[in-house]
Amino acid sequence: MSTTSFTPRVFSGIQPSGGLTLGNYLGAIKRFVDMQGPDFETVYCMVDLHAISVWQDPAALAHNTRELCAGFIAAGIDPEKSILINQSQVPEHAQLGWIFNCVARMGWMQRMTQFKDKAGKNAQNVSLGLFGYPALMAADILVYHATHVPVGEDQKQHLELTRDIAAKFNHDYGVDFFPITEPVIEGAATRVMSLRDGSKKMSKSDPSDASRINMTDDADTIAKKIRKAKTDPDALPSEAKGLEDRPEARNLVNIYASLSDQSVDQVLGEVGGQQFGTFKPKLAELAVSKLSPISSEMARLMNDPSEIDRILSHGAARAREITAPILRQTYEIVGMVGPV
Ligand code: AMP
Ligand code: TRP
């Protein structure tokens, strides 16, 4: 089954669970911005219902939702061009999520590596929501009949599950109703690694603040973290092949390539042969020049939270024009008796 008969539509989401990192920016938000335009309708979401699969302080959740919205706008998401929402204001996400709980199989969910990583040894004591999370994620996407989903590498397995859920629903009800969504995992920075350990993903939950660049870090902090980033003693190679067994070096080059909109080979053509003592200050300067306008704009937007709330309720109204009819048709397909 192809997605060609569906309107080209992009959906993606980020959890408002506190703090945005350079990984979120390069792996997700920057690409959300690039996909705005004539080729797609774009819907971007703060997934607050997902966030509470792990306990969130209520005041912090509200603050983080607004701050994430400010981050999206500051990075270049235009709330007129794109539909910008928080998940809980569009109730069809949760409603379709229930239907998908009844489509997804236990065995599929048990294979999800993100659940296994997050639950760890504590699997009996985490919320049922954390386990069911990927079915709600599938609903987020499919309640828009979205055809393309830009995400970082870590979400690939969840998108495969989304395709499985769509295919099983279509098969079980004998319809061609949900599209088989395409993951969009592209560019030099689909997996930004920790600055302290090139084998670990850069993450907002890493206990070491030095391991990541936060979108709200000031210029001095960014420069210091890059200067201290773990590297090896060799000079930079002049071709991508030379980065194969050098995860820390590869990570810094990938970040440079992504921030400057170049390929890794173009970057190495420019900096190949240089020592890190020369390359790191260049990278720091580039990172500061790209990130500090975003963080100062975020801070400015956060001075007027009522404007952010207005943008989110406007987004929800626009979203529901898409989601309400899709949910109604889903209910009809499933056999739910509706209002007359
Ligand atoms: P999360 O912060 O886990 O809600 O992730 C939001 C988005 O950012 C998802 O599309 C992730 O794939 C992406 N993302 C998070 N961390 C990284 C990273 N270190 N490198 C690339 N993408 C990332
Ligand atoms: N699971 C994603 C994450 O942890 C967030 C997310 C929820 C999402 N729903 C989505 C991403 C739908 C893309 C599409 O990062």
Side-chain angles (χ1 to χ4, degrees):
M1 201 178 319
S2 79
T3 53
T4 46
S5 55
F6 293 90
T7 307
R9 187 175 286 145
V10 170
F11 180 93
S12 196
I14 297 189
Q15 293 193 52
S17 47
L20 277 175
T21 68
L22 182 66
N24 295 130
Y25 176 62
L26 296 179
I29 302 177
K30 186 168 184 289
R31 292 165 47 251
F32 300 175
V33 175
D34 295 341
M35 291 184 94
Q36 292 184 121
D39 296 341
F40 296 105
E41 283 180 28
T42 43
V43 185
Y44 298 123
C45 184
M46 283 116 254
V47 290
D48 47 10
L49 296 173
H50 277 104
I52 62 162
S53 58
V54 174
W55 163 258
Q56 303 289 324
D57 172 75
L61 179 62
H63 172 85
N64 291 335
T65 302
R66 295 188 178 108
E67 190 176 72
L68 179 55
C69 183
F72 276 11
I73 297 169
I77 292 172
D78 176 339
E80 289 308 321
K81 276 195 208 148
S82 291
I83 297 179
L84 197 52
I85 51 166
N86 60 314
Q87 188 184 23
S88 59
Q89 281 202 66
V90 183
E92 291 79 14
H93 289 236
Q95 289 174 292
L96 185 61
W98 176 256
I99 307 256
F100 286 171
N101 279 344
C102 303
V103 174
R105 304 289 96 183
M106 289 293 286
W108 300 359
M109 309 304 275
Q110 275 157 352
R111 282 198 287 275
M112 294 294 115
T113 56
Q114 184 169 303
F115 175 76
K116 289 191 240 178
D117 291 347
K118 285 198 177 177
K121 294 195 185 76
N122 204 20
Q124 292 304 308
N125 216 11
V126 296
S127 74
L128 183 56
L130 190 69
F131 184 70
Y133 180 117
L136 179 59
M137 176 164 165
D140 295 335
I141 296 166
L142 295 172
V143 80
Y144 294 88
H145 278 180
T147 54
H148 294 79
V149 182
V151 281
E153 179 74 36
D154 59 348
Q155 295 302 311
K156 194 170 172 198
Q157 195 185 31
H158 289 160
L159 294 182
E160 280 159 10
L161 183 92
T162 300
R163 293 162 67 96
D164 290 344
I165 289 177
K168 181 163 168 60
F169 181 98
N170 288 344
H171 173 266
D172 288 356
Y173 291 101
V175 290
D176 187 7
F177 185 62
F178 286 116
I180 307 301
T181 301
E182 288 298 328
V184 184
I185 304 174
E186 281 169 4
T190 56
R191 190 168 169 82
V192 178
M193 308 310 279
S194 156
L195 298 179
R196 310 298 304 162
D197 176 352
S199 68
K200 268 180 29 195
K201 194 180 75 160
M202 181 182 286
S203 158
K204 56 189 154 202
S205 56
D206 192 310
S208 159
D209 191 60
S211 71
R212 64 180 157 262
I213 293 175
N214 304 300
M215 295 298 289
T216 46
D217 283 345
D218 61 28
D220 283 349
T221 310
I222 295 176
K224 194 160 133 221
K225 286 177 176 174
I226 292 179
R227 203 166 54 241
K228 292 203 166 161
K230 185 174 170 205
T231 44
D232 55 41
D234 298 339
L236 284 160
S238 39
E239 285 170 25
K241 203 157 43 74
L243 291 170
E244 264 166 25
D245 297 319
R246 300 175 63 188
E248 284 86 11
R250 185 175 60 212
N251 189 38
L252 296 185
V253 171
N254 282 347
I255 293 173
Y256 192 97
S258 182
L259 282 170
S260 62
D261 289 310
Q262 297 182 84
S263 69
V264 167
D265 283 321
Q266 279 171 316
V267 171
L268 292 176
E270 185 191 319
V271 304
Q274 288 180 7
Q275 296 292 336
F276 282 102
T278 314
F279 177 66
K280 279 179 166 179
K282 267 194 207 160
L283 175 60
E285 194 188 326
L286 174 66
V288 168
S289 76
K290 298 285 177 178
L291 300 183
S292 47
I294 300 178
S295 67
S296 48
E297 179 63 4
M298 254 169 101
R300 194 189 66 76
L301 291 164
M302 283 301 279
N303 283 329
D304 188 1
S306 60
E307 173 62 10
I308 293 180
D309 292 3
R310 200 194 55 73
I311 289 171
L312 290 176
S313 47
H314 172 65
R318 289 172 66 199
R320 296 195 74 189
E321 288 173 19
I322 303 172
T323 58
I326 290 177
L327 185 77
R328 202 176 313 120
Q329 289 172 67
T330 310
Y331 275 5
E332 269 168 35
I333 292 168
V334 172
M336 305 285 171
V337 176
V340 285

